Amino acid sequence: MAAQYVRSRLSQTQLQRYTLVFKNGELLRHQDALYLAQYQQDARLSHVQVEDAYSS
């Protein structure tokens, strides 16, 4: 499966990353789109936050 690249620059490309927030307060940071797709229908998932490309 091909990776999805967004926010590319001349010298640098970055994958879009997400933080998954679960109802029990657990956070899964820096996840890619494939990982998001695996948890998208999980009843434990509260919401998803798109991470800033420049945050660490």
Side-chain angles (χ1 to χ4, degrees), residues 10-43:
L10 293 176
S11 63
Q12 176 180 357
T13 58
Q14 296 181 353
L15 287 170
Q16 182 65 57
R17 297 294 183 176
Y18 305 92
T19 297
L20 307 179
V21 182
F22 291 90
K23 293 177 182 176
N24 66 358
E26 181 181 353
L27 300 176
L28 291 177
R29 297 184 188 272
H30 315 303
Q31 304 303 315
D32 62 11
L34 181 60
Y35 203 80
L36 172 61
Q38 292 174 340
Y39 275 93
Q40 197 167 14
Q41 296 300 320
D42 194 322

Side-chain angles (χ1 to χ4, degrees), residues 29-30 51-56:
R29 297 184 188 272
H30 315 303
E51 295 181 1
D52 184 19
Y54 303 108
S55 66
S56 55

